[in-house]
Amino acid sequence: MIILLDGNPKSDGLCRSLSDAILEGVRQGGAEVVRLDTCDRRLRRCQICGTGWGSCRTEHRCSFGDDGFTAMQEQIHEAAGYILVTPVYWHEMAEGLKSFLDRLRRCEALHASPIRGRGALLLASAGGSGNGILPCLEQMERFCRHVGLTVYDRLGANRWNAEWVREAAREAGRGFARFVLNPSASGPGR
Ligand SMILES: Cc1cc2nc3c(=O)[nH]c(=O)nc-3n(C[C@H](O)[C@H](O)[C@H](O)COP(=O)(O)O)c2cc1C
């Protein structure tokens, strides 16, 4: 199973059309995919326990995880790969995805986490100019590096390239599913 961590608050528009294209590709590739909504308003931000660390460091779980975070974290542990999708806000990830990943990173980065070594696909969808795609993708990639995910692809879309990036997104989803279902076929240099 693949998890799509969605930072998009909208149910239509460019970003949604791109994540739909990825989902279509993943399903065509034969993998099951579950979308988790990081814009869910019940989710809290990191409460920065103690003097900077809490149970995230010692027990690899969030003390405030009963807001839905822990249930999502458990689903994430079960997945074989991850797709991160966000609109570009202020040249960064949208706030919902950022604060979810802030909490997840604290729980997964400092131990032999089950997600370490798995693959990720990144998609950032910008507005008119496309300004901010690169710093946004870089921010997403930094999360992946901290938790030990291998990034298979980085897609950046705006209104000018949307048509062909949508096609690329479908293909990326299909290819990602293939890699996740058959890990021996994947990996740097192959
Ligand atoms: C608060 C906010 C900040 C935004 N900041 C940027 C930005 O820095 N760069 C950019 O290209 N687009 C920016 N946008 C536009 C979104 O990236 C764009 O709406 C979305 O990715 C794609 O369009 P969609 O809304 O049709 O999905 C911003 C939008 C909002 C709501």
Side-chain angles (χ1 to χ4, degrees):
M1 180 261 292
I2 291 171
I3 282 186
L4 185 145
L5 286 171
D6 199 348
N8 180 19
K10 293 174 64 176
S11 55
D12 59 5
L14 175 61
C15 189
R16 176 64 60 162
S17 75
L18 293 159
S19 58
D20 283 349
I22 295 186
L23 291 176
E24 195 183 315
V26 169
R27 292 189 183 112
Q28 285 170 356
E32 184 196 344
V33 57
V34 173
R35 176 182 169 270
L36 296 182
D37 179 15
T38 65
C39 299
D40 185 330
R41 292 192 176 85
R42 286 169 298 191
L43 289 168
R44 308 171 70 167
R45 66 159 176 80
C46 174
Q47 301 297 302
I48 319 168
C49 298
T51 54
W53 289 103
S55 58
C56 50
R57 179 155 203 173
T58 51
E59 296 163 38
H60 319 301
R61 59 171 195 84
C62 178
S63 301
F64 296 90
D66 62 1
D67 61 352
F69 175 83
T70 300
M72 290 164 82
Q73 185 189 6
E74 284 166 2
Q75 275 184 286
I76 286 167
H77 286 172
E78 295 306 311
Y82 309 96
I83 301 165
L84 274 51
V85 173
T86 185
V88 177
Y89 285 178
W90 308 109
H91 293 207
E92 297 179 359
M93 286 182 250
E95 289 84 345
L97 183 63
K98 177 64 168 66
S99 58
F100 183 83
L101 295 183
D102 285 345
R103 293 170 80 188
L104 190 64
R105 174 165 50 187
R106 283 168 167 269
C107 295
E108 308 299 347
L110 299 179
H111 71 119
S113 161
I115 76 171
R116 192 162 285 277
R118 294 178 185 165
L121 184 60
L122 311 180
L123 170 76
S125 160
S129 66
N131 290 338
I133 289 175
L134 290 179
C136 180
L137 285 170
E138 205 281 330
Q139 188 184 41
M140 296 163 92
E141 179 144 354
R142 208 173 324 126
F143 161 81
C144 293
R145 225 175 294 134
H146 282 148
V147 299
L149 298 179
T150 300
V151 178
Y152 284 109
D153 206 355
R154 308 138 182 92
L155 299 168
N158 67 358
R159 66 179 159 164
W160 293 309
N161 69 14
E163 200 179 311
W164 68 79
V165 173
R166 209 174 286 114
E167 286 304 310
R170 196 172 292 107
E171 285 302 319
R174 218 181 345 240
F176 189 60
R178 235 182 1 254
F179 280 151
V180 165
L181 292 172
N182 181 15
S184 62
S186 63
R190 295 206 190 176

